[in-house]
Amino acid sequence: MANPIYTALPTTIFTVMSGLAREHDAINLGQGFPDEPGPLAIRRHAAEAVLNGDNQYPPMAGLPELRQAAARHYGRLQNLDLDWKTEVTVTSGATEALACAFLGLIEPGDEVVIFAPAYDSYAPMIRRAGGVPVIVRLQPPHWRFTRVDLENAFTPRTRLVVLNSPMNPTATVCPDEDLTLLAQFCVRYDVTAICDDVWEHVTFAAAPFRPLMAVPGMRERTVKIGSAGKMFALTGWRIGFLIAAPALTDALAKAHQFLTFTTPPNLQSAVAWGLDNSAAWFSAMPADLAVSRDRLAGALTDEGFAVLPSQATYFLNVDLAASGVAEDDMAFCLRAVEETGVAAIPISAFYETDPVTSIIRLCFAKLDETLDEGARRLAQARDASPRR
Ligand code: GLN
């Protein structure tokens, strides 16, 4: 018999919507991946490493050159002082890194605080690791938690809290005062924070991203998760980072050794090169994406849609109710992909209970003509929908 936790799970909304987009030959503004192929020089390094590099098992924790480059990178950009030998582990994508954190750090019955809308892998993987997700429900337009939310969620049984900032799907960055508040609760309840920081470089604010790990009291009690896929717009590469103090890293690496054991060495060495040679990319990439965000936001606003602000990520959210649509997000998304040929992600898929049902998420990491046509087709779907 299959494990009921798994058989009861839906297929991820990203896979479902990309499948429907293919089936209906639709414009895909759903699953978050860029149209562009990613930096050529980094791809060339990977190709070179496949042809002339070592293609046998790399070290379990990752190539030293990549772990060193990651430590330097976070030192430069986020002022973190990391020991690459004891504090950096390379995983096969951030999704594996999250699984390592849950498997390596949860004991049966431990409570894990997560914020909804929550990325869809969190709760099922927490449960599979024996944990109990405790969900704090956030709401538009600000999607912020309060002191009362944390007082209600944290208990003496809380072992972990998962913070995703910048947050998918809300496209918000956790403000400093909220980081400080969360850190106070982590210290008071002796809780470790799992920081899904994969969008850390895809932010549009002038101020650099501040990781929770850098907040006083958090250095030793944070697992920071990074993603080369998001750093370099190479989402299929599956190179993730687990950054944590040595005692935590020891447990994380034990989980990693039995999940994927290692990660393709050629891609690791290309990412190592990329981290040290991409200063221009790290400023151009978010600047270009901000132009795409503004293009999609402008086209949607011209069509009469109510658009929520996007501070980070590849995503822009539309408030259907405020745009005159009486349908819920899932019904609208299914109709839009089937009838007018444009795929989006319903935000309700990121809630297990009491979902917010009037917001859809659109990926703007696309070519201008794709964005323009996507906005036009969304307007067609809106015009054919039940009106408020
Ligand atoms: N992170 C991507 C998104 O939010 C999806 C990744 C996936 O398909 N699992 O769209």
Side-chain angles (χ1 to χ4, degrees), residues 12 14 30-32 119 168 199 230 315 361:
T12 94
F14 314 112
Q31 193 177 31
Y119 192 62
N168 177 12
W199 297 101
K230 298 293 190 298
F315 308 121
R361 190 196 82 176

Side-chain angles (χ1 to χ4, degrees), residues 18-29:
S18 283
L20 287 172
R22 275 191 293 274
E23 190 181 315
H24 295 280
D25 202 17
I27 288 180
N28 192 354
L29 304 183

Side-chain angles (χ1 to χ4, degrees), residues 41 72 114 142 197 269 276:
R72 279 194 296 273
I114 64 178
H142 300 300
D197 286 357
S269 81
D276 281 333

Side-chain angles (χ1 to χ4, degrees), residues 18 21 26-37 233 235 285 288-296 313-315 342-344 361-375:
S18 283
I27 288 180
N28 192 354
L29 304 183
Q31 193 177 31
F33 62 89
D35 265 358
E36 306 276 9
T235 60
M285 178 266 289
D288 289 349
L289 282 167
V291 171
S292 298
R293 172 198 62 175
D294 294 345
R295 186 170 187 113
L296 182 60
T313 73
Y314 295 158
F315 308 121
V342 57
R361 190 196 82 176
L362 303 170
C363 174
F364 54 74
K366 305 288 168 190
L367 304 174
D368 285 352
E369 52 272 28
T370 310
L371 297 173
D372 296 347
E373 181 58 18

